[in-house]
Structure formats: C-alpha cells, structure tokens
Amino acid sequence: MDSAFLITAFATLFVVIDPPGLVPLFIALTQGMDAPHRRRLAQRACIIAFILLTLFGLAGETLLGFIGITMPAFRIAGGILLFLTALDMLFERRTQRREGQHADPDHDPSVFPLATPLIAGPGAIATMILLVGQSGDGWIGTLAVLGLLAVMILATFLFLLASPPLERMLGRTGTIVITRLLGMLLAALSVQFVIDGVRGTGLI
C-alpha cells in the first residue's frame, strides 16, 4: 500500500469531515442538554456515521445506481435537509431554548443532522466511494481506507466530547452569537450543496 495514498486519504477525510468544525455545531444542536446526554448523542452519531460511510464506501455506487439515485440528486437532498436545520438554528427552536425554556427531551439530533449530513454528508460519502475505488482491487487497500475512516470518526468523537469546556468559555452570549452565525453558515453551505448537485446534473 502506497504511503503517499494513505497520507492523502487521511488528509482528505480530515478536511471533508472537519472534526474541529463540528464542535460549535454540536454545541448549538445540543444546547441545554447535560453532559451524559451529549456523550450518548455524540457516540450514537459517530457510530451511525461510521456505518453509513462504510456501507457507501463498499457499495455506494452500486447501491445508489440500483435504486436510481445519482450523486447530484443525493447532494441536492442533503442540501435541502441541511437548510431546514439552519432555519431551526436561526429561529423558533433555538430561540425558545435561549429564552430559558427546557430542552425538548424527545429532541435527538444524533441521526439527523449530526450523523448525516454533517458527519456523513454528501462530500464524505463521495470521498469514501472515490478512496475505496482508488485503493486497488484487493481487500488490503479497502481495509486501510476503512481503518483511516475509523481513526477519523474516533477523532470526531473526541472533539465532540471536548465541546463542554468550549461552551463554558463562550458563555451564554457567546453561544447565542455562535448559534446564529452557524445557522447562517449552514444555510449557505446547504445552498452550495444544492448548487453542486444541480451542476452535477449538467443543467448549469
């Protein structure tokens, strides 16, 4: 196995998944929850994301082709779902929490939007499909890519666990500002997903 490929694959996964960048989002999505609850959500989100990325890495193109879904369509769908999350952060639910109401005990962001599309998003899925395809015909290359993915998901989990000290450092006002700002950035990112998906269809 070429070491240069492994280094490139690791760097690509790190940039696409972006564990440090998920920390403020995790804080915003779990505002008002206690530490044990946050830990369970982070653990569940990382496990689900790893399973999804592994499945798509092993049989992504075949699976999507079998049910007639193209990667551009997948990007567009992910962008729309992410836009709904951005609206939620900018307006009603986050506003209610900031006004001192109790967090909804039934609110579970671990599957959506944490596991997908934030961790296992269209970009990460496409990256896994590409890396497994470039790893060679044997299972050694595939297992190496999956090992790198496991390391990256573990790093993501550790970054999410480090979110409480960051939240304490930011304080209530800082968290409010970050939540609003990230809502705007998520909205822009979701629109970019849709634009990339439409470009992939050849319409523009």
Side-chain angles (χ1 to χ4, degrees):
M1 174 59 60
D2 187 3
S3 59
F5 170 77
L6 294 178
I7 295 173
T8 301
F10 182 84
T12 302
L13 286 172
F14 187 86
V15 170
V16 172
I17 296 177
D18 189 15
L22 291 172
V23 172
L25 292 168
F26 184 71
I27 292 174
L29 290 168
T30 59
Q31 188 177 347
M33 298 180 182
D34 56 28
H37 192 186
R38 281 181 166 177
R39 182 185 180 90
R40 288 194 298 271
L41 290 180
Q43 184 177 24
R44 189 180 305 130
C46 289
I47 291 174
I48 293 172
F50 177 76
I51 293 173
L52 287 174
L53 290 175
T54 299
L55 289 176
F56 275 100
L58 295 176
E61 286 185 309
T62 303
L63 177 62
L64 292 178
F66 178 76
I67 58 179
I69 297 176
T70 62
M71 281 306 298
F74 195 83
R75 283 183 176 273
I76 293 172
I80 293 173
L81 292 175
L82 205 58
F83 186 75
L84 295 176
T85 300
L87 292 180
D88 187 42
M89 292 175 66
L90 283 168
F91 299 110
E92 186 175 1
R93 179 174 294 171
R94 306 304 162 197
T95 301
Q96 292 175 353
R97 290 185 182 179
R98 285 192 293 269
E99 289 174 350
Q101 297 184 12
H102 294 293
D104 182 1
D106 295 326
H107 175 58
D108 183 0
S110 61
V111 178
F112 172 82
L114 280 176
T116 182
L118 291 179
I119 301 176
I125 289 173
T127 299
M128 281 300 297
I129 294 174
L130 178 64
L131 290 177
V132 171
Q134 291 179 339
S135 64
D137 296 330
W139 278 99
I140 295 179
T142 300
L143 290 177
V145 172
L146 293 180
L148 291 177
L149 174 64
V151 171
M152 194 55 54
I153 294 297
L154 177 60
T156 300
F157 177 66
L158 295 177
F159 270 101
L160 296 183
L161 289 185
S163 61
L166 178 59
E167 184 178 25
R168 287 193 295 269
M169 182 181 67
L170 290 173
R172 182 176 181 275
T173 301
T175 302
I176 291 173
V177 173
I178 291 295
T179 300
R180 287 296 181 97
L181 177 61
L182 288 173
M184 295 177 61
L185 292 177
L186 270 180
L189 178 62
S190 67
V191 172
Q192 188 62 54
F193 277 170
V194 173
I195 292 174
D196 291 343
V198 174
R199 282 178 177 168
T201 64
L203 295 177
I204 60 174

